[in-house]
Amino acid sequence: MTTPTPDAEKLLLVLTEQLRPALKPDTALVGIHTGGVWVAQRLHSLLDLQVPLGTIDVAFYRDDYAHRGLNANVRPSDISFDVAGRDIVLVDDVLYTGRTIRAAMNEIFDYGRPGKVMLAALVDRGGRQLPISPQFLGATLPVADDERIVLSRAGDGRLHLAIESRSQEGDGR
Amino acid sequence: MTRNPQLGDKGELRHLLTTEGLPREILLRILDTARSFLSVTEREIKKVPLLRGKAVFNLFFEPSTRTRTTFEIAAKRLSADVINLSIGTSSQSKGETLLDTVANLSAMHADMFVVRHAQSGAAHLIAQHAAPHIHVINAGDGRHAHPTQALLDMFTIRHYKQEFQGLRVAIVGDVLHSRVARSQIHALTTLGVAEVRVVAPRTLLPNHVSELGVQVFHDMREALADVDVVMMLRLQNERMGGALLPSAHEYFKTYGLTPEKLAVASPDAIVMHPGPMNRGVEIDSMVADGRQSVILPQVTFGIAVRMAVMSILAGSAP
C-alpha cells in the first residue's frame, strides 16, 4: 500500500481547530463507539468543554441487524444532558458508508429533538451510500475496498491509525 | 452428548428454553446486552427499531399477569407487533392439540413464540416442531424451567454485587415445585458463585437436590448466616393445608423471612422475590418493603433482560 497513514494525533489537532469556532457554550459532543468515543474524549478535553461527553452505541439502530444479528459487545449509550434544542456534534473515527451516522442520528432523536446536528470524523475513506458529509474532518484517506482503517489507543490515550487488509478483519463493522 | 436444542450449528442461541447447559458466555452476553437496554428504558422514547415488522406471539396456556405483561412491554419496546393469546380459553378447550395450535399460528407469520405452559417440556416441544425461522422463549413450563426469571435475577445480583465470584446465595422456600429455583440454581452455578444454599422443609425439597451442586439446609438461621443474596420463592397457596405443610402461620414462623432472621445475613445482603409475594407467609412486610429489598428493581430489570433475549434470538439467522 502506497498511501501514507496519517498521524492520528496531528489529525486530532486539525479537528480541534476546526471545531473551536463552531462551538457554542452548550454544544455537546457525542462519540460513536468505539473509535468515535476515543476521538470524542480527546476532543472534549482539548476543547475543555463543559457539557459532559455523550457516547452512543448504534447496535440497536443498525440497518443490517436482520442479516448480521445483534453485535455481541453492545455497550450502553450514555447521554446525560438534555438533547432538546441543543447543538450536537457526532464524532466518529472513520467515515465510510454513512450508515452508522444515520443510525446514530436516529438514536439521538429518540433522546429528544436536537437543534443542529453536525458531524466530525478523524478520517473519511469515501464510499458513501447515503447523503451524509462531515462538517469537520481530519483528512481524506482513500483506501482500496479490501482494506480497512483501524484506530487504536495506547495506554496513555494517544491514538494511532493503521491500514489493514480485510483478510485480517474480525468483526468488520 | 446430545445436541443442546437451544443452540444452532455455530453455538448461537436459537431458542431460550432453560438455563441448564447454557454456556457461561451466552449468559454473560445476555446480561451485558440487557445493561444496554436498561439505558434505553430510561430515555424519553423508550423504543428501538430492532424488531420492526416482526410478530411476537405470547402463548399463555397458564394464567400470568406480570410475566406476560413484561414480555409484552419488552417486545413493544423493540418495535415488534405483539399478539397475546390466552389459550386455556380458546382452541385448546375445543380439543385442538398443542402442535396444531402452533402450526396455525405459524401460518399467521409468527416470528417468535413466548410460551407459558403448565406441562414441563411444552416449550421444547414447540421449538422442535416450529418452522426454522421461529424462535421460542420459555416463559415457564410446569416445574421445569423459567429461564428469563433466572436471568433477570442474575442481572439483579450483578447490578448490586458487580461480580458473581465469592458470593454466597440462599434460595428459600418451595424448591420442589419451583421452576424458578431450578433455573436459578443452573444459572448461579454456571456463573460461578461461591456457594448456593437451598433452605426448605424436607417436604418441599426434591429428593436429589444436592446433586445440583447446592448445600441443603432446614434451618433459616444456619442457612442465612453471612449470605450476600437471599432469593425467596413464592409459596403456592395450593400447596397449603395438604400433606406438605401444616399451615401458612406455621410456615411463616419457621421459614418466613423476618428482619430477625435476615439479621444473620451479611449487612449489605439483598433480598429478592420473583413475585407475586405472599406477605406474612414467606416474607414479612418489614423485609419486603425494607432497605435490603430489591424486589421492585427486579421487575424493571426484567424488561431489559427480556429485550436482550428477544433481540439476540431474532438476530440469529435460521
Side-chain angles (χ1 to χ4, degrees):
Chain A
M1 188 63 217
T2 50
T3 316
T5 311
D7 178 350
E9 288 295 319
K10 284 193 181 137
L11 298 185
L12 268 177
L13 297 179
V14 171
L15 268 185
T16 305
E17 294 319 312
Q18 286 179 17
L19 277 161
R20 205 184 295 279
L23 299 177
K24 295 194 263 184
D26 63 347
T27 301
L29 296 190
V30 176
I32 301 171
H33 274 294
T34 304
V37 171
W38 296 341
V39 175
Q41 283 168 340
R42 293 292 305 280
L43 293 173
H44 192 265
S45 97
L46 286 164
L47 291 160
D48 199 19
L49 298 182
Q50 299 311 304
V51 181
L53 178 66
T55 63
I56 55 177
D57 186 317
V58 299
F60 298 152
Y61 289 80
R62 293 189 63 94
D63 61 12
D64 57 0
Y65 165 76
H67 308 288
R68 310 192 61 156
L70 191 64
N71 189 327
N73 302 306
V74 49
R75 287 129 305 196
S77 295
D78 176 20
I79 293 180
S80 58
F81 48 82
D82 190 3
V83 164
R86 191 187 295 274
D87 284 4
I88 286 174
V89 182
L90 286 172
V91 182
D92 208 354
D93 51 354
V94 181
L95 182 57
Y96 186 17
T97 62
R99 287 173 189 270
T100 299
I101 308 304
R102 181 185 98 118
M105 285 194 285
N106 286 350
E107 177 158 0
I108 291 282
F109 275 75
D110 282 349
Y111 281 85
R113 182 176 182 270
K116 196 197 283 186
V117 180
M118 294 162 283
L119 175 61
L122 201 60
V123 293
D124 181 356
R125 63 169 291 174
R128 212 79 76 245
Q129 293 168 353
L130 292 172
I132 282 169
S133 79
Q135 283 70 43
F136 314 101
L137 180 64
T140 317
L141 183 55
V143 293
D145 285 350
D146 62 351
E147 290 175 319
R148 62 197 288 255
I149 303 170
V150 179
L151 185 72
S152 57
R153 183 169 66 165
D156 60 1
R158 291 177 65 82
L159 301 180
H160 177 74
L161 280 169
I163 297 171
E164 293 177 357
S165 86
R166 286 240 178 218
S167 54
Q168 300 166 252
E169 175 181 39
D171 186 17
R173 307 202 226 200
Chain B
M1 195 180 121
T2 51
R3 202 170 139 269
N4 189 330
Q6 308 180 87
L7 304 181
D9 298 336
K10 298 182 193 103
E12 78 281 13
L13 194 65
R14 303 265 310 124
H15 308 288
L16 180 66
L17 306 175
T18 168
T19 53
E20 185 176 3
L22 266 197
R24 183 182 151 82
E25 304 74 60
I26 288 184
L27 295 180
L28 289 174
R29 182 181 174 201
I30 293 169
L31 300 184
D32 287 343
T33 306
R35 190 152 55 191
S36 293
F37 279 119
L38 196 61
S39 71
V40 170
T41 64
E42 288 161 358
R43 302 190 316 209
E44 179 163 323
I45 296 175
K46 299 171 180 57
K47 245 172 139 80
V48 297
L50 283 180
L51 266 62
R52 217 156 58 94
K54 303 278 185 199
V56 174
F57 280 64
N58 274 333
L59 309 185
F60 279 65
F61 297 87
E62 191 186 77
S64 153
T65 307
R66 176 183 332 227
T67 303
R68 206 213 64 212
T69 306
T70 53
F71 269 110
E72 181 174 352
I73 294 170
K76 285 181 170 169
R77 290 200 176 152
L78 294 169
S79 306
D81 297 314
V82 184
I83 297 93
N84 289 315
L85 293 161
S86 299
I87 303 184
T89 58
S90 67
S91 313
Q92 297 265 305
S93 50
K94 295 175 190 160
E96 191 175 63
T97 71
L98 178 60
L99 292 177
D100 279 338
T101 304
V102 167
N104 275 280
L105 296 173
S106 303
M108 298 176 200
H109 300 289
D111 296 289
M112 190 176 288
F113 291 135
V114 177
V115 182
R116 159 72 61 98
H117 202 290
Q119 206 71 47
S120 297
H124 277 84
L125 187 71
I126 292 173
Q128 276 164 3
H129 291 87
H133 75 277
I134 291 180
H135 303 280
V136 178
I137 299 177
N138 183 3
D141 62 329
R143 294 183 190 182
H144 173 244
H146 192 351
T148 59
Q149 176 67 46
L151 283 164
L152 80 87
D153 293 334
M154 299 307 113
F155 186 94
T156 306
I157 293 173
R158 196 195 210 192
H159 181 86
Y160 290 101
K161 300 291 173 190
Q162 282 78 48
E163 302 263 359
F164 292 101
Q165 282 71 27
L167 290 183
R168 295 194 184 100
V169 181
I171 300 174
V172 184
D174 186 1
V175 177
L176 179 64
H177 300 97
S178 176
R179 54 194 173 209
V180 173
R182 252 167 280 270
S183 288
Q184 287 169 339
I185 290 168
H186 290 303
L188 286 166
T189 50
T190 303
L191 290 169
V193 297
E195 212 179 306
V196 183
R197 305 172 180 181
V198 297
V199 201
R202 285 170 213 284
T203 49
L204 294 182
L205 282 174
N207 279 334
H208 303 290
V209 64
S210 59
E211 288 169 14
L212 295 173
V214 299
Q215 298 198 48
V216 180
F217 290 82
H218 304 294
D219 180 276
M220 279 288 267
R221 283 172 187 82
E222 284 173 29
L224 297 189
D226 300 320
V227 297
D228 305 290
V229 178
V230 184
M231 305 175 89
M232 302 303 297
L233 297 172
R234 189 171 83 87
L235 191 71
Q236 285 147 330
N237 286 328
E238 51 272 31
R239 316 288 173 216
M240 236 15 117
L244 297 177
L245 284 173
S247 71
H249 179 70
E250 278 297 308
Y251 183 85
F252 182 70
K253 249 174 65 182
T254 322
Y255 292 101
L257 187 63
T258 57
E260 296 73 41
K261 290 181 195 132
L262 183 58
V264 302
S266 165
D268 60 355
I270 54 171
V271 174
M272 301 165 60
H273 193 297
M277 279 186 285
N278 296 308
R279 290 169 184 266
V281 180
E282 71 258 3
I283 191 164
D284 190 312
S285 280
M286 296 271 283
V287 176
D289 307 325
R291 171 183 69 82
Q292 287 162 275
S293 168
V294 296
I295 294 169
L296 288 176
Q298 278 179 272
V299 179
T300 307
F301 297 155
I303 294 170
V305 167
R306 288 171 176 129
M307 288 171 80
V309 170
M310 287 178 168
S311 59
I312 289 171
L313 289 180
S316 77

